[in-house]
Amino acid sequence: MASLPRKEIQSLSDLHPKPENVTFQYGTAGFRTLASVLDSVLFRVGIIAALRSKKLDGRTVGVMITASHNPEDDNGVKIVDPRGEMLEASWEGHATVLSNAVTSADFVSALESFVQTAKIDLSKPTRIVYARDTRPSGPALVAALEDGFKAIGADARNAGVTTTPILHYLVRAINTKGTEESYGVDSEQGYFEKLSGAFKKLVAGRPTPPTLLIDCANGVGAIAASQLSQYLGDTLPFSLANTATTTLGVLNKNCGADFVKTTQKLPPSLADKLQPGERACSLDGDADRLMYFYLDERGHFHMLDGDKIAALVAAFIVDFVKLAGLENEIKVGIVQTAYANGASTKYLLERLPVKCVPTGVKHLHHAAEHYDIGVYFEANGHGTVLFSDTTLATLKSHQPLSPAQSGALKHLISLTELINQTVGDALSDMLLVEVVLAHKSYTGVEWDSLYADLPNRLVKVVVGDRNTFLTEDAERRLVSPPGLQQKVEELVNLYQGGRSFVRPSGTEDVVRVYAEAAIRAQADELAFRVAGLVYDEAGGDAAQRPKEFL
Ligand SMILES: CC(=O)N[C@H]1[C@@H](OP(=O)(O)O)O[C@H](CO)[C@@H](O)[C@@H]1O
Ligand SMILES: [Mg+2]
């Protein structure tokens, strides 16, 4: 039986000491915090990822260094499983424990006991592919990660600076290379060719759409989008904004998908670029989230978020399934979280099965796998469409009975290639939206009119210990602190069309309050009343109470 290279690990680990007084947690988005404290975490993740690969018989696992839409000074790291999916949940706990071992010696002992209890065969090979976004802290963190690889002797491929979804794509492409399930050529070029090739088939014969303005959040999406444009040629003209990937201090600042979703406003930098009647979209810092928006004829801003994308895309896919004569074989379903706008849930429920799951992509992804075609989107614009293996086989073997069926079938197959099924992918989703808009001859206005969003408000509440907040029913109800849920409901009942829920964030040290109601002023009032209630119940200091809380 091979054993861990104790000495190498310990001596390299000494170069990456764990900072005192910091407790790390592998949460919804992996490890994510201030970049300045993450050095030891990266070193250790190098080793943990290697063990994960060994545990999976040497299949390739991914490591992505990014803090997505969070501020530039943050960074983070997450491990990607062989099918391009998020790390299996049980390993999140192991990663947390290992990252918190105090000294190098403690870390090595913790590793040894983990290898034993998890029954990891150390003689297995190790394969890893890793990448980072454009954050200035990236290179140093990559170096720490590489020390981890070196310590355990991992065979690791550097995919450089790229988007999170491209890294997920690479993982799946590497692991399926040369098999029947081949996901594509395992290079960035392979990714761009796959997406652009499918897009061109789907829009063939249609007029060139008006130029799309893309806000790249000054992040890695700017690099990927500009590469993509070379593959698309004039099939989709776009112009890029917020592309300053090397300027300090601008990443995600007053721009990007999270800015648009949380402020429900046009990024100020686009004010002189977007004209009334035109559509645009924003990516986030690692290009896995997408928000669309447009200015109406009077210049008013309208947001088309993840819920609107889900509604647009799901209806389109359902139509093609019917046109292809497959409505009995292939059932389409939707997955949302409690943050989905109530109006979207109502609209979708009238047409399709809809499931609500807890926040976090892995929950949505797993639930979507239960449908033949599962469409999932978080309201914040992270989502994708999954085609089950059976569905893929059905699409391959189905014999169309008419030219119309044959055309629809071909389109469905192209959609399976256009959509990055490993994870939400802003660029792939953007092409998907553009395909639907082109087929339906929709502008932002027609798309927006599918349903009218209920006004809503999201508020953060800083509390002493967010872990005292526990929820049930896909986070829609609080079970602890005791009695609080009932008080929330009493407030909700005072508002027409009111809905509100309270849950601890998985990525920030806050409790989030969401509220919606039939009119804007009421949604705001309900949110701030519930926030005040939460603050007071959690023993918040009266002197520090935010003045907007009611
Ligand atoms: C309200 C909201 O947008 N929450 C986000 C946020 O999670 P929290 O657990 O709410 O902090 O970050 C997650 C990871 O990016 C994302 O999946 C989720 O949708
Ligand atoms: Mg992101």
Side-chain angles (χ1 to χ4, degrees), residues 489-502:
E489 280 166 28
E490 281 161 14
L491 284 177
V492 166
N493 289 337
L494 303 176
Y495 294 84
Q496 196 202 335
R499 182 170 74 93
S500 179
F501 63 92
V502 178

Side-chain angles (χ1 to χ4, degrees), residues 28-29 32 68-69 258 261-262 289 337 339 359-361 364 378-380 382 458 475 503-508 510 512:
T28 331
R32 191 175 289 182
S68 183
H69 58 281
D258 196 59
K261 180 66 189 172
T262 51
R289 286 195 197 176
T337 72
Y339 291 108
T359 307
V361 179
L364 291 119
E378 290 191 303
N380 62 30
H382 186 122
L458 190 59
E475 303 181 321
R503 60 173 277 278
S505 161
T507 60
E508 287 176 69
V510 296
R512 295 196 201 280

Side-chain angles (χ1 to χ4, degrees), residues 48-62 79-88 90-91 118-122 124-127 171 175:
I48 298 164
L51 293 177
R52 181 76 186 145
S53 171
K54 286 182 188 296
K55 177 72 189 169
L56 300 170
D57 279 336
R59 286 201 288 160
T60 298
V61 304
I79 298 176
V80 179
D81 265 355
R83 285 180 58 78
E85 297 163 11
M86 302 290 173
L87 178 67
E88 184 192 290
S90 65
W91 275 60
K119 300 198 175 68
I120 296 169
D121 179 351
L122 293 170
K124 295 278 177 185
T126 309
R127 292 188 195 91
V171 171
N175 285 306

Side-chain angles (χ1 to χ4, degrees), residues 274 278-280 292-296 300-302 304 444-445 448:
L274 191 65
E278 291 179 353
R279 75 203 185 298
Y292 262 76
F293 43 89
Y294 69 98
L295 297 181
D296 65 21
H300 290 167
F301 173 81
H302 296 264
L304 297 153
V445 179
D448 200 17

Side-chain angles (χ1 to χ4, degrees), residues 87-103:
L87 178 67
E88 184 192 290
S90 65
W91 275 60
E92 294 181 0
H94 303 315
T96 298
V97 170
L98 291 165
S99 68
N100 287 310
V102 179
T103 65

Side-chain angles (χ1 to χ4, degrees), residues 462 532 535-536 539-549:
V462 179
Y535 188 83
D536 299 339
D541 179 353
Q544 309 264 330
R545 197 175 193 272
K547 55 182 184 325
E548 61 276 20
F549 288 7

